[in-house]
Amino acid sequence: MIKLIKLSKVHLAGEIQTTALNQVDVEIAAGEYVAITGPSGCGKSTLLSLLGLLDVPSSGEFWFEGQNIAKWSEAKLNQLRCGRIGFIFQSFNLIEELTVFENVALALEYLPFSRTIRHAKVEAMLAKLGLSHRAGHHPSQLSGGQQQRVAIARALVAEPALLLADEPTGNLDSAHGDEVMRLLRDINRAGTTVVMVTHSRAHAAQASRTLHLLDGHIVVDALQEA
C-alpha cells in the first residue's frame, strides 16, 4: 500500500532548518497494523502527517497504492485522501455545536452519497460502536471514552483503506484506553490497514509490527512475536 524511498522532511523557520525525517525507507502492506514509537521530537507526528497526505516531503519518493505522490499538488492529495484515509486524534477533535450523528456524518459530506445512504451509513456505524443511544447528544455530554468512540466512528464511516491514529488513548483512563485498543484490533482484523503513533510499550506490542524512530531515522523495524 505504502512505500517510502529516501523520504526526508525539513521544516524551515526563518533561516533555521530542522530535519524531522532523514531519508526514511519503509514499506507498509495493506492489512498491516503498525505502531510508530520513539521519544518526543523524533519525527513520529511528521511521519504520520505525511502518511495521511496532510503534508508533503521535502525530498524522496512516496508511493501510495502504486502511484508516486511525492510531488502532487494539495488539491490532488485532498482528492486522494477523501474517503481513503481516516484519522483518529488524541484530542478527539469533535465539534461541540454538532450532535454525535452530525459529527460522524461530516466524514461523508464531500463523498458522492445520497442523503439516504449517508444517513444509513452513520446509523450503522453508531450501532456498531454502541453509540446509537447517543446520536442526538453533544460531545460535552459524553465521557472521554465515548467521545473517542465517536471519533473512531467518524474515521471509519467512509470505510477507509488506511486508518491513522495519533496517540488515540492519550487522553483516556486505562479502562477506556483498553477499549479503544480492542476496537483498533477489531478494525485491523476486518481488513483495514492501521498505523498508530503511541508512547505506550504495552499498546505498541498489540500491533503486528513496530517502527521505532530516533532523530528522524527508523532505527528499529520489528515484527511482533505471535
Side-chain angles (χ1 to χ4, degrees):
M1 171 179 271
I2 293 169
K3 184 175 183 179
L4 311 182
I5 303 175
K6 303 298 181 186
L7 196 80
S8 295
K9 179 63 182 181
V10 178
H11 297 296
L12 300 176
E15 297 182 356
I16 299 175
Q17 294 187 359
T18 303
T19 301
L21 292 174
N22 192 356
Q23 297 201 345
V24 168
D25 293 311
V26 70
E27 292 188 48
I28 299 174
E32 278 199 280
Y33 183 179
V34 179
I36 301 174
T37 65
S40 297
C42 68
K44 300 188 302 296
S45 294
T46 298
L47 179 55
L48 204 69
S49 293
L50 289 170
L51 294 178
L53 314 186
L54 298 174
D55 202 354
V56 294
S58 301
S59 61
E61 299 180 25
F62 180 176
W63 293 81
F64 185 90
E65 295 184 331
Q67 301 179 89
N68 185 4
I69 63 173
K71 297 183 184 295
W72 279 22
S73 67
E74 183 177 350
K76 287 187 70 175
L77 291 175
N78 287 340
Q79 186 177 17
L80 178 62
R81 183 174 62 245
C82 190
R84 299 294 295 154
I85 302 175
F87 298 88
I88 304 171
F89 303 97
Q90 177 179 344
S91 57
F92 314 141
N93 286 5
L94 302 177
I95 299 174
E96 177 56 36
E97 292 75 18
L98 301 181
T99 64
V100 165
F101 189 98
E102 291 165 341
N103 266 282
V104 176
L106 274 179
L108 301 175
E109 186 170 347
Y110 298 107
L111 295 176
F113 297 122
S114 68
R115 181 177 180 181
T116 299
I117 292 176
R118 286 200 301 269
H119 195 280
K121 283 181 172 291
V122 174
E123 282 191 333
M125 186 54 62
L126 291 179
K128 183 176 181 178
L129 294 183
L131 291 165
S132 296
H133 64 301
R134 297 292 192 178
H137 291 203
H138 288 81
S140 63
Q141 297 173 294
L142 308 178
S143 69
Q146 290 169 332
Q147 289 185 55
Q148 190 59 295
R149 273 193 283 155
V150 175
I152 292 173
R154 182 184 57 193
L156 292 178
V157 70
E159 301 179 47
L162 174 63
L163 180 65
L164 303 176
D166 189 4
E167 294 284 357
T169 63
N171 285 335
L172 303 176
D173 59 33
S174 58
H176 286 119
D178 290 343
E179 176 189 358
V180 167
M181 293 305 300
R182 285 194 296 272
L183 284 171
L184 291 180
R185 288 198 304 274
D186 290 344
I187 291 163
N188 176 248
R189 287 167 182 161
T192 301
T193 306
V194 177
V195 179
M196 170 185 65
V197 163
T198 182
H199 279 102
S200 168
R201 289 186 179 182
H203 290 167
Q206 297 183 40
S208 57
R209 179 181 172 199
T210 298
L211 303 177
H212 188 80
L213 270 65
L214 184 65
D215 298 332
H217 297 274
I218 295 177
V219 294
V220 175
D221 183 349
L223 295 175
Q224 303 289 1
E225 294 183 4

